[in-house]
Amino acid sequence: MRARRNACTVFLLLFAFSAATAGAAKLTLPAETAVVLEKIYSFDIDGAVEAAKRMELEHPEHPLGYLLEAEALWWRIWCASAEFKYGMSDARRRPKLESDQHYFQLAAKASSLAEAQIKQHETAEMQFHAGMADAAAARLYGLRWENRNTARSGVRGREHLLRAKTLDPSLADADLGLGLYNYYVDTLNAMARVLRFLMGIPGGSKQEGVRLLEHAIAEGVLTSELARFYLAMNLHRYDEQYEKALAVIDPLAEKYPANPIFQLARGDLYAKLGRKEKALLCYRAAAGLKIQDDECQTHVRELARVSIEALGRIATDSPH
C-alpha cells in the first residue's frame, strides 16, 4: 500500500502556509495575511475562509487571498480523508467529489493572476505564487489518485519555484515545495521510477529534500510551519526517525493546541516511541477539541478512538 501510494503522490507538492514571521520583506504580503494564517492553523476553518474572501475583495488582483482560501479548505479535506493505518493518522485517499471543484477553481484563479503579473513584470514573488497555485491543485489530484494530473501540476509548480529561486536565491519559502519534490521522488520503488522515467519527470534526492525543508523551517516566511509539519510526517512515514520527527512537530502542537491534526501526529510519534501515557494525552486532547465542521469533529474522534485502541489501553484509564 505504501509503495502504491508513493507512485500516485510522487509529484505531489504539498504546499501550504504558516504564520508570518518577522523579516517578511522578501514577500509583499497584505496586512491581513497573519490573521488568516492564525485562523487556519488554529483550525478555525470557517473564520479563515471568511477572512480570505475579504482579502480577495480588497486585493482582487493578488493571488494570495485565493491561495489562502484553498489552504483553509485543504485542512478540512485532509481531516475528512484521514485514516489510522500503519500506526499513524494520515490523509491517504479521497473520492472525486463535486465539492472539490471550488478548490480547483481557487487554485486556477490564483495561477491565472500570478501568470498575468509575470507576463507584465516577472518577479520571484509571482513565480512563487504561481508555483503554489499549481501545487495546490497537485496535492488534491494526488489525494484523489489522479496520477497524470498530479504529475503535470507538480512539474509545473516545480518549474515556477526553480525560476523563483533563480530570480531570488534567498527565497527560502520556495524550498518547501522543492524539498518535498526531492524527498518524494527519491522514495519511489523500482516500478514507480520506471513510470517517472517514461513520463519524463525530473529526479530528486531525499538528502537534498530534507536540507531544503530544514531551510524552509529556519528561514521561510510563509512556509516555515508547513515545512515543519511535512518533514515530521515524512520522517515518521518513510524513515522511521520517530525521535527526530517528534522534535520537529512538538513546536506546532504547542503553538496550535486547537489543531487536532497536530495533536494526533504528535500522539502517533509518542506511541511509536513507546511513551503510551503521553500518546494517550495527545489523542484525548484531539478528541476533546471543539471543531466547527461536524464531519471533521466526528472523524477526529474516531481517529482518536482507534489510535487509543492501538495503544493496547482502555480509553478511560487515567494517565500518570
Side-chain angles (χ1 to χ4, degrees):
M1 286 294 292
R2 186 164 68 181
R4 192 177 173 192
R5 183 171 182 267
N6 275 346
C8 79
T9 60
V10 53
F11 311 113
L12 178 59
L13 301 178
L14 300 166
F15 284 90
F17 306 92
S18 65
T21 61
K26 295 176 185 176
L27 294 173
T28 305
L29 305 177
E32 315 92 303
T33 302
V35 174
V36 183
L37 295 169
E38 181 69 22
K39 289 180 181 294
I40 290 174
Y41 291 101
S42 296
F43 226 72
D44 179 7
I45 304 302
D46 291 341
V49 168
E50 291 176 8
K53 287 182 176 179
R54 287 195 297 271
M55 185 184 292
E56 293 162 18
L57 291 173
E58 294 172 9
H59 309 278
E61 302 305 314
H62 199 293
L64 186 56
Y66 304 96
L67 288 169
L68 288 172
E69 183 182 349
E71 182 59 27
L73 296 177
W74 170 252
W75 287 96
R76 185 176 287 162
I77 291 169
W78 199 103
C79 182
S81 306
E83 61 177 315
F84 183 81
K85 208 169 190 178
Y86 312 119
M88 67 183 299
S89 290
D90 199 359
R92 291 186 167 85
R93 186 161 191 172
R94 178 178 177 85
K96 298 178 183 179
L97 302 178
E98 185 65 30
S99 59
D100 290 343
Q101 290 310 304
H102 179 57
Y103 177 95
F104 285 124
Q105 289 167 1
L106 289 168
K109 179 67 172 180
S111 177
S112 66
L113 288 173
E115 292 279 10
Q117 295 194 42
I118 289 169
K119 288 179 181 178
Q120 292 180 0
H121 175 61
E122 184 184 25
T123 64
E125 179 179 351
M126 282 302 137
Q127 287 287 2
F128 172 64
H129 288 312
M132 290 194 296
D134 287 328
R139 66 181 174 185
L140 184 51
Y141 283 132
L143 193 59
R144 289 162 34 137
W145 287 28
E146 297 182 54
N147 295 3
R148 291 186 179 276
N149 286 333
T150 302
R152 292 190 190 100
S153 296
V155 171
R156 282 199 306 268
R158 175 181 180 272
E159 290 171 352
H160 281 299
L161 290 174
L162 288 173
R163 180 59 181 163
K165 291 284 285 186
T166 297
L167 294 169
D168 182 2
S170 68
L171 188 58
D173 288 285
D175 288 341
L176 167 65
L178 295 172
L180 286 170
Y181 183 95
N182 272 274
Y183 191 100
Y184 288 131
V185 167
D186 204 22
T187 62
L188 290 176
N189 61 18
M191 184 177 295
R193 287 177 187 273
V194 171
L195 176 63
R196 179 187 67 77
F197 176 77
L198 292 175
M199 295 182 70
I201 305 303
S205 159
K206 182 190 289 189
Q207 183 177 4
E208 176 66 3
V210 171
R211 186 192 70 79
L212 290 168
L213 288 170
E214 290 176 341
H215 188 233
I217 291 171
E219 302 292 339
V221 174
L222 287 174
T223 62
S224 175
E225 306 283 35
L226 260 294
R228 183 177 291 279
F229 174 71
Y230 287 117
L231 177 58
M233 293 293 283
N234 289 341
L235 290 172
H236 181 169
R237 184 191 300 124
Y238 298 110
D239 296 333
E240 300 181 357
Q241 296 184 30
Y242 307 134
E243 197 71 63
K244 182 177 180 180
L246 181 61
V248 172
I249 205 166
D250 260 342
L252 288 180
E254 292 296 327
K255 186 175 182 179
Y256 302 105
N259 190 314
I261 294 171
F262 297 161
Q263 295 297 334
L264 290 170
R266 181 161 67 166
D268 293 339
L269 288 164
Y270 277 132
K272 289 288 177 66
L273 290 165
R275 301 169 195 170
K276 294 184 178 181
E277 301 292 352
K278 289 186 175 181
L280 185 59
L281 287 174
C282 292
Y283 293 145
R284 284 177 168 170
L289 290 171
K290 177 61 177 177
I291 301 173
Q292 296 163 338
D293 184 84
D294 290 340
E295 180 185 7
C296 185
Q297 174 92 79
T298 300
H299 200 51
V300 165
R301 288 176 177 170
E302 176 64 13
L303 289 170
R305 184 189 68 79
V306 296
S307 299
I308 289 170
E309 286 184 356
L311 286 175
R313 295 287 303 274
I314 298 175
T316 55
D317 283 351
S318 297
H320 298 288

